[in-house]
Amino acid sequence: MEQLGIIERLQSAFGETLGVWHASNSESAYARRMGSFFQVSDPARLLELAFFLRDEPALAFDSLLLLSSVDHGDGSLSVVYHLESTVYRHQIVLKITRPMAQARVPSVTSVWSHANWQEREAWDMMGIRFEGHPDHRRILLEEDYPGHPLRKYFKEPDFYHGMKVPN
Amino acid sequence: MPEILERNIHSHSLLHASAPVHLPDRVEPKRLHTEEMVLNIGPQHPSTHGVLRLEVVLDGEVVVDVIPHIGYLHRCFEKHAENLTYPQVLPYVDRMDYIAAMSGEHGYVTAVERLLYIEVPEKVEYIRVLFAELQRIASHLIAIGTFGMDSGAFTPFLYCFRDRETILEMFEKTCGARFLYNYMWVGGLSHDLHPDVLPMCRDFLKKSRATHQEINDLLTFNHIFVERTAGIGVLDREVAINGGASGPMLRSCGVKWDIRKDDPYSIYDRFEWEVAIGSSDRGEPGDSFNRHWVRMQEWEQSLNIIEQILEQFPRQDATDVQSAIPKRLKPPEGEIYSRTETPRGELGYYIVSNGDVKPWRVKVRSPAFSNLSLLPLLSRGYLVADLIVILGSIDIVLGEVDR
Amino acid sequence: MTAIYQALYEFISRFFSPSIITLVVTTLVYAAIPLVFILVYGLVAILGEMKISAWLQDRLGPMRTGPKGILQPIADILKLLQKEDTTPRAADRPLYRLAPWVAFIGSYAAFAALPFSVAYIGARLNTGIFYILSMGSLVVVSILLAGWGSDNKYSMIGAMRSVAQIISYEIPVALAVITVVVIAGSMDLQTITDLQAGGINNWFLLGGPKHLEGFGGSTNFVLVPVMLVAFAIYFIGSLAETNRVPFDVPEAESELVAGYHTEYSGMKFALFFLSEYASMFAVGSVASILFLGGWQSPLGDTMNGPAMGFLWFILKGLSFVFAQIWIRWTLPRFRVDQVMRICWKVLIPFGLTAVAAASVIAVAIQ
């Protein structure tokens, strides 16, 4: 299915207020396909949307390629979902943006188990909470590490457990 | 379900059955109490392939649960990338998947070129694909060799290294480095192909096909090896797709999915080759044996691709390999997810550009990270020895898992 | 009394007048001969393992120490001697220290009943083979001591595996031995060797002596299939008893780091190492005594005799060691349950059949 068709399908099922389509205007077809994204407005509906994307036979997004997080530098964080259907070979990108103070989105681990470690990494690196995650721990850093290093204004601590952090 | 798994699960449930057990009066029930044991494998252990730590809950020798602890090699590549210009990121890309640095570079430069919309000269594409396929063989040789070592066979490992040495020599002649190359640049290459490489490749094809046969005879079809790996750590097709498995791990389940074919990049659409998938000739699709078998087949397919490259290679083409390298690398505002097929699976780069010379955000979908996350699922109910075999069959590189 | 013992006694009596001291000194010197042999053989075997594995793996092996690297084992031993002898803090110290000695004593003691030649046997017991089998079991004790004493989970798992494996594999090994004992009618290894005099034709692998009364003459060729089965069982069982590939699950490097000797270093580790190599030779030489004529020359009376006996015996033993090394660097490892399955479901039924068949044939041809 074409990506615009997918969006129409979603909006007919969830209403026009579901989100906004941001099309890429790149010259390359690949960048248009993999660079356009659908900005979901309401995180509360994310889980429902995820189940719909996976289970609707005409969409069948059975694979979560990547879950990434972006700090926009203006006090807001985004979670980006790259989805793909191995049946129909179409892809779509979803994006949810939240203010830093309310960096909480529902976990999609129950929909795609691939999200398990990816969400842990997003929590570890960007400090985004995933509500309903079965194992919400840090993954790469120590459990007591101060802060989330991929945030733009993260400042490396001078000392860690009494050890000088080299520059 | 293999006999061993059935028996293990059975015996395990027996030990934990809550049904009352009738014991003779003189035996104190407390004395028959059994406990699960936590065995800490790694981060320094011969078969964790780096600094991986596994917390294994054991009941006797049966694995009840595995909790992988990663991050011992974490260098925060993504933070580094945000503070460097696009070409400067490249050496750090090498250090992620250090076993297959060329493939990682190929993925990164493809992503940036797609973001910038640069067309690369045909000759450069041929050299890139040639090196990416050689690197795929080199990486699979390590995977096959260490997998043999995990199952107790040491000798095939050295036969694999003998062949890998020839590949590294070709890389060394061309760009001076044997391991971390910084060879593929955005829009071009750091050096032109060394004139010796093509003849060396032709010799290598012959030699490597013989080694392939030798490894098959010595390891793949060895009865003990098949007994050890067939039916061990079976990954279900749906679980594999849902859990983000890719590369040989996904193909071994019988899924015909290879980015080189299904979402072609570079010039892969010019070659004829087969996507290797797991079969039920020995073992069952998705088990450790088939993960090894898919790698063996891919080795052969890569040789086929290299053979076609040698036929098609534009030898008369005197294009400068650096002619398409942009003087000032500043992509337009936007974002892209670009993916390539590395030896371990789907390597994706999600790059967000804000129109600056430095990327705003680079997020890596590292195949080893995603594949490793399936380990607990694969190894429950098997023995410790099987856990090691399963881990070996996933073929992780900790540099890429931890980034 | 063997010829060598008498020669030693006469030589030593020149220095000591009271005969009791002479007796003690002679016995000590006589008993030390296998020890010297083990130490020298150990060096050769270590070099052999390195060079044979290198040859199998298309590389050179050690080349820097001495001509072609032949001094490498000496350098290795010197390195081991200098190493710090560590003991884990939580170890059960007495058991931890005892274990390597028990291992070495077990392997060394087995050499007492091995007939190196007509002129040399440590102790000619009429239950010689029985004694060797029971000394082999002593290794189990040391492994269990090491596994328990180290206070290490890897060691403990390795020890448990090893004990289960060695105790199980003693049964098929014993059955294979009984097959020969039934035909030979003796458990004395020197007698068994004597019976096989007169060349390759009279070896028990090929049915036993053709020239002696009571062995059915040349009709004992019917025993060949039985003996081949027994020989195969003995060889496979002996690999398992010495924890060699493909049965090295107790020290499986990729899983258990080094199994029961994970925590050992320096000289204690060297003792385990030496004991393993000594056991390899011991089981190999027992196989050669039972099936391949021991110190007897394969050519009958040519090149036979007390001195040549040593040569043949060591040559046959070393060829088994070579086979074990060859197998080690070729095959992958079995899983622990597969090891046990092979023992109980394959080797023991075949072993029982071999004993029964040998008994029936023995009655029929005698």
Side-chain angles (χ1 to χ4, degrees):
Chain A
M1 207 186 278
E2 284 294 310
Q3 284 182 327
L4 284 175
I6 297 167
I7 299 307
E8 271 171 36
R9 182 82 192 76
L10 286 179
Q11 285 180 335
S12 69
F14 288 86
E16 291 289 325
T17 57
L18 182 68
V20 188
W21 175 247
H22 291 265
S24 163
N25 54 2
S26 172
E27 286 169 78
S28 90
Y30 189 92
R32 283 200 299 277
R33 177 159 57 95
M34 290 305 229
S36 308
F37 60 93
F38 184 66
Q39 180 86 41
V40 180
S41 49
D42 186 8
R45 305 185 73 178
L46 178 74
L47 203 58
E48 200 188 343
L49 177 65
F51 272 116
F52 181 79
L53 283 165
R54 188 189 72 178
D55 297 333
E56 173 69 18
L59 301 176
F61 282 102
D62 50 4
S63 165
L64 171 71
L65 290 179
L66 178 63
L67 187 151
S68 11
S69 49
V70 183
D71 181 352
H72 293 291
D74 56 358
S76 66
L77 301 174
S78 280
V79 183
V80 189
Y81 302 83
H82 290 83
L83 304 176
E84 179 171 50
S85 164
T86 53
V87 187
Y88 302 114
R89 322 232 150 160
H90 52 217
Q91 296 90 14
I92 193 144
V93 186
L94 302 180
K95 200 181 242 184
I96 288 189
T97 307
R98 299 290 290 156
M100 210 173 266
Q102 295 151 27
R104 282 198 185 82
V105 289
S107 164
V108 292
T109 305
S110 51
V111 189
W112 300 285
S113 60
H114 186 202
N116 188 331
W117 280 25
Q118 300 284 357
E119 284 178 349
R120 280 176 67 189
E121 194 191 328
W123 158 243
D124 194 358
M125 292 291 142
M126 202 63 95
I128 298 168
R129 282 247 168 229
F130 291 89
E131 283 159 349
H133 191 281
D135 184 20
H136 205 294
R137 288 181 292 131
R138 279 178 179 263
I139 188 164
L140 292 169
L141 300 175
E142 282 299 305
E143 206 55 49
D144 61 354
Y145 194 80
H148 303 280
L150 278 187
R151 288 191 173 179
K152 284 286 170 186
Y153 301 109
F154 171 77
K155 182 88 179 61
E156 219 179 321
D158 292 336
F159 285 91
Y160 179 65
H161 283 277
M163 292 176 283
K164 179 100 178 73
V165 178
N167 293 314
Chain B
M1 194 184 282
E3 187 200 351
I4 165 93
L5 177 62
E6 208 167 47
R7 208 200 55 232
N8 289 343
I9 287 173
H10 184 61
S11 66
H12 183 234
S13 63
L14 267 184
L15 282 167
H16 289 265
S18 51
V21 185
H22 295 288
L23 299 165
D25 292 337
R26 275 173 299 156
V27 179
E28 290 172 52
K30 267 187 184 168
R31 288 197 165 185
L32 291 174
H33 173 69
T34 62
E35 248 179 49
E36 282 162 357
M37 174 172 86
V38 178
L39 184 70
N40 194 43
I41 298 184
Q44 276 84 36
H45 185 277
S47 55
T48 50
H49 298 248
V51 280
L52 170 68
R53 183 179 145 222
L54 298 174
E55 199 180 320
V56 189
V57 184
L58 288 179
D59 182 1
E61 282 214 32
V62 181
V63 175
V64 179
D65 202 3
V66 183
I67 304 153
H69 293 276
I70 60 173
Y72 290 89
L73 203 56
H74 179 59
R75 296 146 294 179
C76 214
F77 162 78
E78 292 165 13
K79 190 77 179 176
H80 277 300
E82 287 173 11
N83 296 304
L84 298 165
T85 62
Y86 286 92
Q88 283 174 341
V89 173
L90 207 67
Y92 291 83
V93 170
D94 280 339
R95 281 149 184 82
M96 282 201 299
D97 185 353
Y98 46 78
I99 300 290
M102 280 288 183
S103 309
E105 287 176 7
H106 198 192
Y108 178 75
V109 296
T110 307
V112 179
E113 282 160 13
R114 277 168 169 168
L115 191 65
L116 280 157
Y117 200 50
I118 303 177
E119 290 277 359
V120 189
E122 193 186 37
K123 185 181 168 191
V124 171
E125 292 282 24
Y126 271 107
I127 298 173
R128 281 185 184 176
V129 173
L130 173 67
F131 275 16
E133 288 310 310
L134 284 171
Q135 181 76 84
R136 188 182 312 279
I137 295 174
S139 168
H140 279 350
L141 282 169
I142 290 195
I144 290 160
T146 49
F147 186 45
M149 224 152 75
D150 287 339
S151 60
F154 191 89
T155 301
F157 176 72
L158 286 152
Y159 291 177
C160 289
F161 261 62
R162 188 184 57 194
D163 263 34
R164 181 172 172 270
E165 197 56 38
T166 321
I167 297 176
L168 295 191
E169 209 175 303
M170 287 186 232
F171 291 166
E172 192 184 359
K173 282 204 168 182
T174 301
C175 66
R178 286 165 54 84
F179 206 49
L180 305 164
Y181 312 101
N182 191 15
Y183 178 62
M184 296 183 191
W185 288 358
V186 177
L189 301 167
S190 73
H191 299 79
D192 201 348
L193 197 64
H194 192 276
D196 286 357
V197 171
L198 290 180
M200 276 175 86
C201 257
R202 201 160 292 115
D203 289 345
F204 174 73
L205 281 177
K206 231 178 280 157
K207 206 174 99 180
S208 195
R209 289 212 164 99
T211 314
H212 185 268
Q213 186 58 42
E214 199 174 17
I215 299 282
N216 266 344
D217 293 343
L218 191 62
L219 190 69
T220 314
F221 302 140
N222 182 314
H223 193 72
I224 300 175
F225 180 75
V226 176
E227 282 272 304
R228 278 297 303 279
T229 56
I232 299 299
V234 183
L235 182 59
D236 201 56
R237 188 193 163 104
E238 274 71 37
V239 178
I241 295 172
N242 191 270
S246 57
M249 185 116 165
L250 180 66
R251 288 192 280 277
S252 73
C253 308
V255 184
K256 240 190 167 103
W257 184 268
D258 192 315
I259 312 236
R260 288 175 289 172
K261 269 250 196 288
D262 291 292
D263 195 359
Y265 56 98
S266 205
I267 49 165
Y268 275 107
D269 45 3
R270 298 190 192 177
F271 310 113
E272 275 182 30
W273 51 284
E274 290 291 315
V275 176
I277 53 166
S279 69
S280 46
D281 296 345
R282 290 179 179 76
E284 52 189 299
D287 65 1
S288 300
F289 177 80
N290 272 301
R291 288 193 273 276
H292 166 80
W293 182 226
V294 163
R295 282 189 196 105
M296 289 301 291
Q297 287 171 289
E298 278 185 14
W299 175 0
E300 214 174 0
Q301 296 302 336
S302 288
L303 289 175
N304 288 344
I305 295 177
I306 293 170
E307 196 166 24
Q308 291 171 50
I309 295 173
L310 290 181
E311 282 164 20
Q312 299 178 13
F313 194 84
R315 286 182 175 73
Q316 310 307 324
D317 192 346
T319 322
D320 180 10
V321 289
Q322 302 196 338
S323 59
I325 294 177
K327 292 281 168 298
R328 196 158 152 279
L329 216 158
K330 204 168 173 184
E333 205 167 316
E335 60 179 64
I336 196 168
Y337 175 79
S338 161
R339 52 186 182 168
T340 53
E341 184 79 27
T342 72
R344 264 155 280 283
E346 176 178 337
L347 175 70
Y349 286 94
Y350 172 59
I351 302 176
V352 182
S353 153
N354 63 347
D356 195 10
V357 289
K358 295 174 183 173
W360 179 255
R361 174 84 169 97
V362 178
K363 162 83 185 172
V364 187
R365 182 212 194 273
S366 77
F369 180 79
S370 304
N371 289 349
L372 180 65
S373 70
L374 290 163
L375 177 71
L377 193 84
L378 290 178
S379 47
R380 280 182 203 128
Y382 292 99
L383 301 177
V384 189
D386 297 331
L387 169 68
I388 302 297
V389 164
I390 293 167
L391 183 65
S393 72
I394 295 176
D395 181 24
I396 48 167
V397 170
L398 266 298
E400 201 192 28
V401 173
D402 294 344
R403 280 158 289 149
Chain C
M1 288 300 106
T2 58
I4 290 183
Y5 188 87
Q6 270 159 6
L8 265 177
Y9 188 87
E10 276 163 29
F11 181 71
I12 287 167
S13 60
R14 286 190 214 161
F15 305 102
F16 302 103
S17 48
S19 62
I20 183 73
I21 296 177
T22 314
L23 200 68
V24 169
V25 171
T26 311
T27 309
L28 283 178
V29 172
Y30 191 65
I33 292 174
L35 187 64
V36 173
F37 172 76
I38 289 175
L39 293 174
V40 174
Y41 149 81
L43 295 176
V44 174
I46 293 168
L47 183 70
E49 181 108 46
M50 289 189 288
K51 281 293 185 186
I52 293 167
S53 66
W55 171 56
L56 288 170
Q57 292 166 348
D58 214 357
R59 55 192 176 89
L60 292 171
M63 291 296 279
R64 301 294 175 97
T65 342
K68 298 266 172 196
I70 56 167
L71 296 179
Q72 187 64 38
I74 292 165
D76 281 1
I77 295 286
L78 284 177
K79 181 203 73 175
L80 278 176
L81 283 170
Q82 289 172 47
K83 273 209 162 179
E84 187 190 355
D85 201 358
T86 56
T87 310
R89 196 177 301 157
D92 193 331
R93 278 164 188 273
L95 301 187
Y96 179 82
R97 287 185 185 151
L98 188 63
W101 292 105
V102 176
F104 185 69
I105 289 167
S107 309
Y108 176 41
F111 277 75
L114 285 181
F116 276 77
S117 153
V118 70
Y120 184 86
I121 178 166
R124 186 169 178 174
L125 305 171
N126 50 12
T127 55
I129 183 67
F130 187 65
Y131 168 82
I132 288 177
L133 287 181
S134 45
M135 280 301 131
S137 319
L138 208 59
V139 177
V140 177
V141 179
S142 81
I143 289 172
L144 196 56
L145 290 178
W148 176 259
S150 305
D151 190 53
N152 178 314
K153 285 170 186 168
Y154 291 111
S155 304
M156 196 61 216
I157 294 176
M160 292 307 224
R161 284 180 177 185
S162 185
V163 170
Q165 175 184 322
I166 294 182
I167 290 178
S168 303
Y169 272 88
E170 267 168 15
I171 300 168
V173 165
L175 288 172
V177 169
I178 289 171
T179 313
V180 177
V181 170
V182 163
I183 303 294
S186 169
M187 281 163 79
D188 179 359
L189 290 173
Q190 200 66 290
T191 313
I192 292 175
T193 311
D194 283 337
L195 286 174
Q196 303 178 74
I200 194 166
N201 198 29
N202 293 338
W203 289 359
F204 277 118
L205 189 65
L206 298 176
K210 311 279 185 289
H211 59 295
L212 296 175
E213 282 291 311
F215 287 93
S218 54
T219 55
N220 66 19
F221 267 122
V222 293
L223 274 168
V224 171
V226 180
M227 284 303 176
L228 281 175
V229 169
F231 180 66
I233 291 172
Y234 183 85
F235 185 64
I236 295 170
S238 67
L239 285 178
E241 287 233 320
T242 46
N243 294 334
R244 293 291 291 190
V245 172
F247 302 101
D248 65 335
V249 287
E251 45 197 280
E253 191 199 318
S254 57
E255 304 146 27
L256 300 182
V257 189
Y260 57 86
H261 55 67
T262 305
E263 294 286 356
Y264 284 88
S265 62
M267 227 26 233
K268 293 201 187 87
F269 170 75
L271 278 177
F272 272 120
F273 205 62
L274 199 60
S275 138
E276 183 184 319
Y277 278 99
S279 301
M280 277 164 66
F281 184 83
V283 295
S285 55
V286 168
S288 73
I289 294 162
L290 293 177
F291 298 98
L292 306 178
W295 45 260
Q296 301 280 5
S297 159
L299 307 167
D301 288 334
T302 32
M303 297 180 76
N304 215 351
M308 291 307 281
F310 276 108
L311 183 73
W312 287 118
F313 184 79
I314 290 168
L315 211 59
K316 285 171 184 172
L318 286 182
S319 57
F320 276 94
V321 174
F322 171 71
Q324 287 175 343
I325 293 174
W326 182 9
I327 286 171
R328 168 164 178 191
W329 295 105
T330 307
L331 292 182
R333 176 188 313 121
F334 279 114
R335 199 171 52 217
V336 63
D337 60 310
Q338 291 165 343
V339 168
M340 298 308 255
R341 195 178 66 211
I342 289 165
C343 177
W344 292 97
K345 291 191 177 170
V346 181
L347 295 184
I348 291 183
F350 272 103
L352 288 171
T353 318
V355 172
S359 314
V360 171
I361 294 169
V363 171
I365 60 179
Q366 275 165 14

